[in-house]
Amino acid sequence: MNKVTTIDLGSNSFRVLIYDCLNNQIIDEYNEVVGMADGLNETKAISKEAQERVINAINQSSIQLGYEPSKAVCVTTAAMRIASNNSEVLKTFEKRTGAKFNIIDGKEEARLTLLAVKYALKREKINSSKFVLLDIGGGSTEIIVNDGDSYFSHSFNFGIVTLTQKYLKYEDLIKELNSHKVDIRAFIDELKIDLKDYTFVATAGTPTTIAAIKLGQDFFHYDKELVNGTVLNLKDLEDSLDIFRNSSKDIITKLVGSGRVEFIEIGIYIYRAIFEVLEKNESIVLDDGLREGVAINHCILK
């Protein structure tokens, strides 16, 4: 069978995909929160505990999905890019699991994510050649402006994990987000485009979680086929914030999943900030992201 297995090891999430190249379809998948960027702000290194979580996730997913880690196409992003012990950590992963990871830079991450989103928009029959894509990660936030066959991207050095672990006070967080908004606005202004012509598309855990909540789903009853193409507005973000501020940890865990509880509010603040910079009223949500892009790219090159 003409299939490929891809692993996307992010700053917080570990995601595996088994993909059918002939039919451009997902065969199976595995998702787990591994918190690889945990403590990275202070130590600048991937901790031993985080390494063990990743190794366990690789081994567990390979048993569950029946794939061989040494044959998977494995990429890793922001946390590994900045970790001082990245080469040592990747050697450990390969030695203990067989999985050989490639650290990709922000440009390649943007290209591959965009590839997945273009396929997804076509699949969902959403006609949009001009769109701004937001991908909120654990350690970085990618903004990609797509204009037909050309695109411009920038990887901004902040994400849900790094911001959560950096700030205890809401005021300090908002102050930093405001400074990032200035940088993002400068990136957009350089392109000399009229944002009114561009659809706002968002991928990654925060947008899909809010979309799922809007649809009445929770982490354990998540249907990405329904989530794909969902339109969110600022009120949906505020409604989700209200739920998280006024619910018990057990209820929030049921909604967002273990390992995401402490990060989800920060994710919404980042999402809201991008709404404000782009001066948009709504955003289309897609579940597809980097791991799908890695798979599609591999299929194209085969």
Side-chain angles (χ1 to χ4, degrees), residues 254-295:
K254 188 170 183 282
L255 288 172
V256 307
S258 173
R260 289 191 173 94
V261 175
E262 62 267 48
F263 304 124
I264 187 65
E265 282 193 41
I266 302 295
I268 296 173
Y269 294 141
I270 294 172
Y271 196 11
R272 186 175 68 186
I274 309 304
F275 261 97
E276 291 163 359
V277 172
L278 301 179
E279 297 178 357
K280 291 293 183 184
N281 298 316
E282 56 183 39
S283 167
I284 296 170
V285 174
L286 293 169
D287 185 276
D288 302 70
L290 179 59
R291 66 176 182 173
E292 286 82 4
V294 173

Side-chain angles (χ1 to χ4, degrees), residues 15 29 31 203-213 215-228 230 254-256 285-288 291:
R15 308 178 82 216
E29 61 185 304
N31 304 297
T203 183
T206 299
T208 56
T209 297
I210 302 168
I213 290 168
L215 295 168
Q217 301 176 15
D218 62 33
F219 180 77
F220 302 98
H221 305 89
Y222 177 80
D223 185 344
K224 71 174 176 185
E225 288 188 14
L226 290 176
V227 165
N228 276 321
T230 298
K254 188 170 183 282
L255 288 172
V256 307
V285 174
L286 293 169
D287 185 276
D288 302 70
R291 66 176 182 173

Side-chain angles (χ1 to χ4, degrees), residues 177-210:
L177 274 178
N178 284 337
S179 97
H180 289 309
K181 280 165 69 175
V182 172
D183 294 339
I184 294 165
R185 185 77 237 184
F187 163 64
I188 300 285
D189 286 346
E190 275 179 23
L191 302 177
K192 294 182 169 54
I193 59 170
D194 187 347
L195 282 168
K196 291 187 185 72
D197 300 334
Y198 290 74
T199 308
F200 179 22
V201 180
T203 183
T206 299
T208 56
T209 297
I210 302 168

Side-chain angles (χ1 to χ4, degrees), residues 80-109:
M80 204 65 82
R81 287 198 287 263
I82 61 174
S84 59
N85 61 339
N86 54 15
S87 58
E88 171 199 323
V89 170
L90 294 185
K91 280 175 191 164
T92 300
F93 290 166
E94 186 175 6
K95 187 179 175 185
R96 292 185 53 193
T97 70
K100 188 169 184 176
F101 283 89
N102 179 29
I103 303 173
I104 58 172
D105 63 20
K107 291 285 180 193
E108 180 66 352
E109 184 177 356

Side-chain angles (χ1 to χ4, degrees), residues 42-89:
E42 295 79 40
T43 64
K44 306 301 179 204
I46 308 294
S47 70
K48 291 287 184 194
E49 293 80 6
Q51 291 176 52
E52 288 302 322
R53 289 194 294 271
V54 173
I55 289 163
N56 290 337
I58 295 168
N59 291 332
Q60 182 61 37
S61 63
S62 67
I63 293 166
Q64 194 168 312
L65 300 185
Y67 73 91
E68 177 55 58
S70 63
K71 292 179 180 171
V73 183
C74 312
V75 299
T76 185
T77 52
M80 204 65 82
R81 287 198 287 263
I82 61 174
S84 59
N85 61 339
N86 54 15
S87 58
E88 171 199 323
V89 170

